């Protein structure tokens, strides 16, 4: 920041403070934050931040097609695996071939996620989503026309790259285009679309389960929403932060006016000014350091390191809990325990996931990310423990192993399904969406690197779980496997209690303040409380002002 910037920003903040009587505890603290590259948005709260314009809704819904594709292409393989039969050469796919087909998607997503954030810092968020769509289309067509196991693996790998790009960039793009107070809810909409995509995948899988070659339609239909999003991307704006990095202040201002349509012009101007200072600081850091130096700062800088630990830790927790094994193998599992329509039963699980993600959509910004995680994680531990016990009694007569074709107790089979529903409901309410708020943990100059590393952690965990699930079930029995996942969930819950701060209601620029001293669990609540107090005082001031104006008018009439 140049020496001339600070007095100008101070004067603008002072003018807003005097004009709208917004109470700020200390202007010096705000200016100190600007000097360090951070903006305390307590000074620039705009009217109507809690309201969402049609512009934001349309923009977010177009972005969330990426989530729909993510959900569809990861969920559709469950139904496809039980209907492929001998279409790929072998009379039936072996467990090893199923794991290869499934894990190839995850390997592609790991590579895509690893480069997505860094690539988007260079090209912009919108272009990366377009590249992901092209890859989705190529992968869907490759799968639909393949006739060998290895060509199927190649198609799934392509899909995985698209999933990795979309999973990283869609939440980040939405976060940077959403009002502060609604940012969590907007990102959860992407997760809602992921779960909706899984529901659609299971529904289409059930519809084509008895059609010869129906699995080709299942995987090929994934090209349709990708093609739609490519068209929509021509009409979507770039992130204001990316536009400011490119020096296009006019375009960024125009977008911010649409995002904060209910704010006063001077409030939008001030938001742009403080955002510009942050971006300017980020550009200065980027231009004065190499990519390798910024990458090292993720580990060596205590603030970045704590953010990275939280981001990667939450993504690891999301995958190591074992949830995605249900998405990939639920139809196979339910077929083995005796259900006649396994894909249709899997639809119950994906439907539960969708419904309880809507619960998170409603409450994530009101209750907060941390509280949702603290309350929902024990439900996951209980559900998986219940599943382990149910599998133990279900498979007693077969020595603890699941033997395809065996007639199992319908009571214990039903209890297995119930345990899965309890686990999935708890997962969807918290862990299924909270880790994807990862973009808000990192400052702008390392946001691409941080989100890439966190997303790569997600897919590395997914690869580990997806590639070992069937083998783990065979080695330590289903009861042992689900008991193992329950233990990992317990460790994840302890991690949340110890390290995960509350970020709801804090601006993207404020979140970094949380990690200055430790993991900031107490600091995050203090920041949130300060913002609530300021808003409460401003509300009272406005009410008093209205009353005073009414009294004045009454006296004039007298």
């Amino acid at each position: 920041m140049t020496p001339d910037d600070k007095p100008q920003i101070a004067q603008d903040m002072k003018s807003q403070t005097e004009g709208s009587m917004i109470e700020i505890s200390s202007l010096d603290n705000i200016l100190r934050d600007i000097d360090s590259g951070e903006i305390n948005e307590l000074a620039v709260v705009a009217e109507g931040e809690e309201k969402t314009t049609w512009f934001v809704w349309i923009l977010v819904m177009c972005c969330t097609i990426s989530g729909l594709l993510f959900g569809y292409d990861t969920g559709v393989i469950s139904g496809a695996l039980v209907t492929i039969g001998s279409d790929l050469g072998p009379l039936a796919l072996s467990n090893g071939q199923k794991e290869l087909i499934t894990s190839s998607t995850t390997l592609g997503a790991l590579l895509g996620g690893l480069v997505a954030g860094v690539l988007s810092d260079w090209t912009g968020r919108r272009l990366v989503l377009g590249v992901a769509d092209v890859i989705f289309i190529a992968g869907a067509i490759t799968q639909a026309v393949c006739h060998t196991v290895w060509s199927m693996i190649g198609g799934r790998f392509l899909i995985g790259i698209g999933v990795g790009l979309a999973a990283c960039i869609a939440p980040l793009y939405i976060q940077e285009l959403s009002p502060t107070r609604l940012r969590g809810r907007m990102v959860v909409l992407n997760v809602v679309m992921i779960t909706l995509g899984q529901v659609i995948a299971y529904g289409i899988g059930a519809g084509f389960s008895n059609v010869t070659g129906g699995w080709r339609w299942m995987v090929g239909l994934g090209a349709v929403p990708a093609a739609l999003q490519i068209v929509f991307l021509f009409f979507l704006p770039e992130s204001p932060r990316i536009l400011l990095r490119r020096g296009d202040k006019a375009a960024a201002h125009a977008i911010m006016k649409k995002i904060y349509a209910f704010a006063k012009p001077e409030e939008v101007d001030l938001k742009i000014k403080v955002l510009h200072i942050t971006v300017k600081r980020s550009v200065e850091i980027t231009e004065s350091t190499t990519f390798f130096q910024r990458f090292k700062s993720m580990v060596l800088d205590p603030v970045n390191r704590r953010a990275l630990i939280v981001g990667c830790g939450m993504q690891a927790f999301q995958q190591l809990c074992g949830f995605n094994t249900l998405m990939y193998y639920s139809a196979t599992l339910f077929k083995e325990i005796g259900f006649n329509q396994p894909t249709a039963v899997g639809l119950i699980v994906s439907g539960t996931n969708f419904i309880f993600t809507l619960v998170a959509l409603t409450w994530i910004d009101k209750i907060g990310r941390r509280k949702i995680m603290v309350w929902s994680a024990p439900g996951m531990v209980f559900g998986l423990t219940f599943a382990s016990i149910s599998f133990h009694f279900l498979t007693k007569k077969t020595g603890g192993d699941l033997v395809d074709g065996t007639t199992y107790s319908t009571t214990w089979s039903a209890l297995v399904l119930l345990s899965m529903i309890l686990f999935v409901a708890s997962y969807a309410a918290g862990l299924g969406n909270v880790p994807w708020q990862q973009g808000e943990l990192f400052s702008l100059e390392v946001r691409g690197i941080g989100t890439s590393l966190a997303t790569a952690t997600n897919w590395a965990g997914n690869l580990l779980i997806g590639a070992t699930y069937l083998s783990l079930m065979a080695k330590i029995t289903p009861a042992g496997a689900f008991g193992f996942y329950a233990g990992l969930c317990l460790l994840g819950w302890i991690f949340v209690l110890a390290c995960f701060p509350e970020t709801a209601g804090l601006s993207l620029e404020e979140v970094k303040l949380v990690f200055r001293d430790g993991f900031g669990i107490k600091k995050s609540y203090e920041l949130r409380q300060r913002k609530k107090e300021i808003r409460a005082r401003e509300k009272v001031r406005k009410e008093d002002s209205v009353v005073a104006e009414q009294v004045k008018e009454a006296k004039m009439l007298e």
Side-chain angles (χ1 to χ4, degrees):
M1 183 171 64
T2 64
D4 294 334
D5 287 333
K6 182 173 175 179
Q8 181 60 47
I9 295 294
Q11 183 60 43
D12 290 335
M13 289 181 175
K14 186 178 180 183
S15 297
Q16 186 195 27
T17 304
E18 291 174 350
S20 62
M21 299 295 289
I22 296 177
E23 298 184 51
I24 303 171
S25 59
S26 172
L27 191 59
D28 290 336
N29 288 339
I30 294 165
L31 294 174
R32 195 178 305 120
D33 288 337
I34 293 176
D35 278 338
S36 66
E38 297 301 321
I39 303 300
N40 188 336
E41 205 174 325
L42 290 170
V44 288
V45 175
E47 288 186 20
E49 282 195 15
E50 71 284 353
K51 300 176 183 178
T52 309
T53 65
W54 279 109
F55 171 78
V56 173
W57 278 118
I58 292 171
L59 184 150
V60 170
M61 292 310 295
C62 291
C63 292
T64 57
I65 293 175
S66 293
L68 181 73
L69 286 163
F70 177 177
Y72 185 85
D73 284 310
T74 54
V76 75
I77 195 62
S78 178
L81 286 177
V82 296
T83 58
I84 286 175
S86 60
D87 288 356
L88 297 179
L91 291 176
L93 295 175
S94 66
N95 281 347
Q97 289 170 328
K98 289 180 180 179
E99 286 180 339
L100 277 173
I101 290 171
T102 302
S103 58
S104 62
T105 306
T106 311
L107 178 60
L110 170 60
L111 298 177
L114 196 57
V115 303
V118 178
L119 184 63
S120 74
D121 281 346
W122 178 51
T123 65
R125 317 303 190 204
R126 190 175 57 167
L127 182 60
V128 176
L129 288 180
V131 171
D133 287 327
V134 172
I135 295 173
F136 275 125
I137 293 171
I141 294 173
T142 301
Q143 291 176 91
V145 301
C146 71
H147 290 280
T148 66
V149 171
W150 284 107
S151 59
M152 182 66 173
I153 290 171
R156 294 300 297 172
F157 179 76
L158 270 179
I159 285 289
I161 294 175
V163 167
L165 293 172
C168 179
I169 299 306
L172 179 58
Y173 186 37
I174 291 169
Q175 282 175 330
E176 293 184 342
L177 285 163
S178 299
T180 297
R181 295 188 68 187
L182 297 171
R183 190 178 64 239
R185 187 178 301 177
M186 295 295 103
V187 174
V188 173
L189 269 176
N190 190 59
V191 183
V192 169
M193 293 298 281
I194 293 173
T195 60
L196 178 60
Q198 291 165 343
V199 171
I200 293 172
Y202 276 84
I204 289 176
F208 281 102
S209 61
N210 295 318
V211 176
T212 303
W215 66 272
R216 297 186 185 278
W217 285 98
M218 296 181 203
V219 295
L221 285 172
V224 176
L228 276 175
Q229 190 176 49
I230 287 178
V231 175
F232 292 147
L233 283 175
F234 284 102
F235 303 98
L236 294 184
E238 186 52 85
S239 161
R241 288 166 174 83
I242 295 295
L243 290 171
L244 287 173
R245 286 183 68 166
R246 294 173 178 170
D248 195 346
K249 192 172 181 180
H253 190 278
I255 294 169
M256 291 290 278
K257 280 178 66 178
K258 292 180 180 179
I259 293 172
Y260 295 99
F262 301 98
K264 298 174 182 176
E266 59 269 24
E267 291 172 340
V268 175
D269 290 342
L270 188 52
K271 274 189 173 288
I272 281 289
K273 286 179 181 178
V274 294
L275 185 58
H276 178 66
I277 293 299
T278 304
V279 172
K280 186 176 179 181
R281 173 65 174 163
S282 170
V283 171
E284 289 171 357
I285 293 173
T286 302
E287 290 178 348
S288 63
T289 59
T290 64
F291 171 80
F292 183 65
Q293 287 173 324
R294 293 193 300 278
F295 189 88
K296 282 200 307 182
S297 77
M298 295 302 299
V299 176
L300 300 180
D301 182 273
V303 174
N304 290 341
R305 183 172 62 245
R306 293 178 191 116
L308 186 65
I309 289 171
V310 172
C312 291
M314 292 300 293
Q315 291 287 18
F317 181 16
Q318 187 188 76
Q319 291 304 321
L320 296 180
C321 73
F323 171 80
N324 274 331
T325 60
L326 290 179
M327 289 299 102
Y328 299 146
Y329 299 114
S330 62
T332 301
L333 177 65
F334 292 134
K335 180 173 178 287
E336 288 179 339
I337 66 176
F339 288 99
N340 293 327
Q341 297 290 331
T343 305
V345 175
L347 185 59
I348 297 173
V349 174
S350 60
T352 301
N353 190 25
F354 174 67
I355 291 168
F356 279 85
T357 302
L358 294 178
V359 173
L361 174 67
T362 304
W363 294 104
I364 191 166
D365 282 318
K366 296 177 181 177
I367 295 177
R369 285 76 151 142
R370 177 178 167 83
K371 284 184 179 178
I372 281 182
M373 283 304 309
V374 169
W375 294 346
S376 63
M380 295 168 58
V381 177
F382 175 78
L384 288 171
T385 304
F386 187 18
S388 179
I389 294 169
S390 299
F391 271 118
H392 172 74
F393 288 102
L394 176 74
T395 59
K396 257 190 171 183
K397 66 177 181 180
T398 52
D401 296 319
L402 280 175
V403 180
D404 200 8
T406 303
T407 302
Y408 290 107
S409 164
T410 54
T411 300
W412 285 112
S413 294
L415 289 175
V416 167
L417 177 59
L418 176 61
S419 68
M420 298 299 179
I421 291 172
L422 292 173
F423 166 64
V424 169
S426 300
Y427 171 91
L431 192 59
N433 54 78
V434 170
W436 293 115
Q437 309 287 337
Q438 60 189 12
E440 65 190 12
L441 299 172
F442 305 102
S443 55
L444 184 60
E445 66 272 9
V446 294
R447 189 167 295 154
I449 297 172
T451 53
S452 286
L453 290 173
T455 303
T457 301
N458 178 288
W459 292 110
N462 193 323
L463 179 62
L464 178 64
I465 291 295
T468 59
Y469 169 72
L470 294 177
S471 301
L472 191 68
M473 293 272 281
K475 291 286 185 183
I476 64 173
T477 74
F482 281 89
F484 175 68
Y485 294 144
L488 293 178
C489 273
L490 180 60
L491 291 176
W493 185 44
I494 294 171
F495 172 80
V496 169
L497 291 173
C499 301
F500 187 57
E502 184 57 77
T503 56
L506 302 180
S507 73
L508 293 177
E509 285 65 45
E510 286 173 317
V511 172
K512 189 175 179 181
L513 303 176
V514 169
F515 293 112
R516 283 185 176 174
D517 300 300
F519 287 100
I521 294 171
K522 183 178 178 181
K523 176 73 171 178
S524 65
Y525 282 112
E526 289 175 353
L527 279 173
R528 280 165 52 85
Q529 187 58 37
R530 284 174 61 196
K531 295 189 83 165
K532 286 180 181 178
E533 289 171 357
I534 287 174
R535 288 194 175 100
R537 287 198 293 267
E538 175 63 7
K539 183 178 179 181
V540 170
R541 185 203 63 78
K542 286 181 178 179
E543 290 173 351
D544 290 345
S545 177
V546 170
V547 171
E549 189 65 29
Q550 290 173 344
V551 170
K552 184 178 178 181
E553 289 177 359
K555 287 182 177 179
M556 289 177 65
L557 290 173
E558 290 176 357

